[in-house]
Amino acid sequence: MSIWAFSSLLPGILHFVVGGYVLYQRPRQPLNVVFSLFAFSLFIWCITEFVHRLDITPHNAYLWMMFGGPGWSFSPALYLHFALLFAHRKRVLQTRLVYALLYGPPVLLLSLFYGTDLIYHHAPVAMYFGYTLLPGQYAWLCIFYYLVVYVMGAYFLLDIARKGGGIEKRQARVVLSGVGLSLFFAMLTNMILPVLHMPVPELATLFTAPAMIAVFYAILKYQLFIISPSMETPHPTPPKYFLERGCSLMLDEGEDKAYSIFFDQVTHGAQGLCITKFPPEKVRKKYNIAKSPLIWLTFKDGVNTVSPREFNRLETAVTEFLLKAQDACILVDCFREMELVNGFEKAAGMIRKIDERCQAAGARLIISLIPLNETEDRKEQVRKAIGR
């Protein structure tokens, strides 16, 4: 057995563990699903390389090399797909053409790999680090493809590193540095030096580990909040307010009234979520909200905080909560703060999106939008903008 085989086995185990962990945490989130597929593609590449570096026949080594083709060919596209989702470029991913551009090149490379000698020659060569395939006439296509994909992914990650919220900036920087380190050394040992006829151990699979470690570190250190429904202690008295599932209630009687109705709902079977302008400890103390999760709309960094500018993160949090909750009730008391930062139309549009999500999920929505001292004209303007 070649000791170099373990340079593929250990990162393969890492990719499988991290990919499974991320998928387990949020199995319905596209970002987590795509990242897990990226991790599993690296796992396939690593494990098949581990096997064909063992003391097996050239024929069997060749078969395992063929099995590993989908791993190294599709991992760049999955990485770019992940970067697009991480950078909130959902509109870009709404057309079939984009998916064709994403996944067409790896299909082409894989076809050339299986059917021709243009990418790699099909005669396994025994090296001191195990069996390998020598690069073909158009192996530079792989180098070019990997570079283009990395530059594009780096562009989207850099965009988040510059413009995103505090937590997302840190995550993007960590991921970007890890992927950059991995790509540089992987291309150097597996593509650039062999093309220059400088035989070195092929350590691309080993150098995929920094990217995975960086992502795992970003998850653990700068984890985006996870909103999990939690039941309040049931109240023995009958409920004071009856709200139909899927309905929205807009109030102009101040926050106290909104929280009174919310408290009544969550102590009679509903699972609640507050999106608030107040610090969580103040809300819990003043309105006796003990267990229901709170999202604090603030420019401060912290657990379960969202900047008023980060509507994408807020929408994701609401969607995730609604996917998990059985009987949801959401309260929003921070329309004015959204408006001051983003303008009236964008703030109203965000409330409409939350309303649409609640209607689709059969959830109740309580909106304390209009302070008591607002004029009737202003109240009517808000109602029309929200569509209620």
Side-chain angles (χ1 to χ4, degrees), residues 328-342:
C329 180
I330 295 179
L331 184 148
V332 180
D333 71 12
C334 46
F335 175 75
R336 175 59 62 83
E337 286 66 29
M338 294 180 180
E339 180 186 9
L340 288 174
V341 174
N342 303 283

Side-chain angles (χ1 to χ4, degrees), residues 63-332:
L63 291 178
W64 281 102
M65 290 173 182
M66 296 299 103
F67 292 149
W72 59 259
S73 60
F74 277 91
S75 57
L78 289 164
Y79 155 72
L80 181 56
H81 194 168
F82 164 76
L84 286 166
L85 289 171
F86 187 85
H88 308 297
R89 301 302 179 96
K90 295 180 181 178
R91 291 184 179 179
V92 176
L93 295 167
Q94 289 178 348
T95 61
R96 293 181 179 179
L97 177 60
V98 171
Y99 285 94
L101 294 173
L102 265 177
Y103 293 104
V107 170
L108 175 61
L109 287 177
L110 193 61
S111 300
L112 292 175
F113 172 64
Y114 282 149
T116 72
D117 287 335
L118 296 176
I119 303 298
Y120 286 104
H121 294 289
H122 283 218
V125 177
M127 305 288 284
Y128 64 92
F129 53 82
Y131 285 104
T132 187
L133 296 177
L134 297 179
Q137 182 180 358
Y138 290 100
W140 61 267
L141 278 175
C142 285
I143 301 176
F144 178 75
Y145 171 62
Y146 271 74
L147 281 173
V148 168
V149 169
Y150 172 71
V151 169
M152 293 178 68
Y155 169 79
F156 295 117
L157 291 174
L158 281 171
D159 189 54
I160 287 294
R162 292 194 306 265
K163 302 177 184 177
I167 293 176
E168 285 187 332
K169 282 183 178 180
R170 297 187 185 100
Q171 283 185 315
R173 290 167 185 167
V174 171
V175 173
L176 193 59
S177 61
V179 171
L181 185 66
S182 292
L183 183 72
F184 173 77
F185 284 105
M187 290 182 61
L188 185 67
T189 63
N190 275 49
M191 296 181 181
I192 297 175
L193 294 180
V195 167
L196 297 175
H197 305 290
M198 300 173 64
V200 296
E202 294 178 354
L203 298 176
T205 51
L206 176 63
F207 288 117
T208 58
M212 199 57 54
I213 292 171
V215 172
F216 196 50
Y217 175 81
I219 291 170
L220 296 180
K221 180 69 175 179
Y222 305 119
Q223 188 174 25
L224 292 174
F225 53 79
I226 298 175
I227 302 297
S228 298
S230 184
M231 296 289 292
E232 297 284 348
T233 302
H235 205 281
T237 60
K240 296 180 182 179
Y241 306 95
F242 176 76
L243 300 182
E244 292 184 4
R245 298 191 63 169
C247 78
S248 299
L249 181 64
M250 190 170 73
L251 302 172
D252 57 5
E253 303 174 51
E255 291 87 8
D256 290 350
K257 179 67 172 181
Y259 276 98
S260 176
I261 298 173
F262 178 79
F263 179 79
D264 185 62
Q265 300 300 302
V266 297
T267 54
H268 289 90
Q271 294 174 312
L273 170 67
C274 292
I275 304 170
T276 179
K277 60 191 174 189
F278 301 116
E281 60 273 11
K282 180 178 180 180
V283 173
R284 297 198 184 282
K285 183 177 181 180
K286 183 175 181 180
Y287 298 112
N288 200 25
I289 307 299
K291 300 178 182 179
S292 299
L294 307 176
I295 296 177
W296 184 17
L297 202 74
T298 177
F299 286 107
K300 297 180 180 180
D301 285 342
V303 178
N304 290 13
T305 63
V306 177
S307 166
R309 294 193 180 97
E310 296 179 306
F311 280 172
N312 285 319
R313 288 185 64 206
L314 183 59
E315 185 181 353
T316 298
V318 170
T319 302
E320 182 176 317
F321 173 79
L322 292 173
L323 286 171
K324 295 179 180 179
Q326 300 298 318
D327 182 10
C329 180
I330 295 179
L331 184 148
V332 180

